[in-house]
Amino acid sequence: QVQLVESGGGLVQPGGSLRLSCAASGPINSIKTMGWYRSAPGNQRELVADITSGGLANYADSVKGRFTISRDNTKNTVYLQMNSLEPEDTAVYFCNAYIDSGLLMAPYWGQGTRVTVSA
């Protein structure tokens, strides 16, 4: 079955950087939009950034100018480069992708990777 596997989370000091990766595997005909969401304690899951198959990116206002989303369509992988990290960025980050598996087009989620920004 289709799977999304994230990596790259961890502990970083304020002002630091992290790069998240998410690779899709399984029966994949095509991948439409890929994106990153995050969920912090007490908050609803929110969109951080997403990117179309053509490379058009969209960002939450809170991360504009600090985060960059990109994708490698040959590897079915999406990345999130996070710079100038702030304590408010602490959350579990989830990868999301709309994938055509040949049977249906559906949204898939990764298991989440934790990002902690703390001194």
Side-chain angles (χ1 to χ4, degrees):
Q1 68 274 21
V2 174
Q3 287 187 319
L4 298 180
V5 178
E6 299 125 333
S7 60
L11 172 64
V12 63
Q13 292 186 341
S17 298
L18 282 175
R19 188 189 193 213
L20 306 183
S21 300
C22 171
S25 63
I28 297 172
N29 278 0
S30 64
I31 303 178
K32 304 301 183 184
T33 300
M34 303 184 82
W36 291 94
Y37 289 71
R38 66 186 180 188
S39 179
N43 294 338
Q44 290 185 332
R45 187 175 297 189
E46 62 175 359
L47 174 68
V48 177
D50 60 20
I51 185 168
T52 67
S53 57
L56 184 63
N58 173 56
Y59 297 92
D61 288 343
S62 60
V63 307
K64 283 180 180 176
R66 300 188 298 121
F67 291 9
T68 302
I69 190 170
S70 61
R71 62 189 283 175
D72 185 337
N73 292 331
T74 66
K75 297 180 179 179
N76 292 334
T77 299
V78 63
Y79 306 95
L80 186 67
Q81 177 66 44
M82 304 185 293
N83 299 329
S84 302
L85 282 160
E86 304 169 352
E88 292 73 22
D89 296 316
T90 295
V92 178
Y93 286 69
F94 297 89
C95 174
N96 170 267
Y98 279 83
I99 297 175
D100 178 0
S101 65
L103 295 177
L104 77 164
M105 172 73 73
Y108 292 87
W109 291 92
Q111 79 285 356
T113 185
R114 183 173 299 277
V115 172
T116 302
V117 185
S118 175

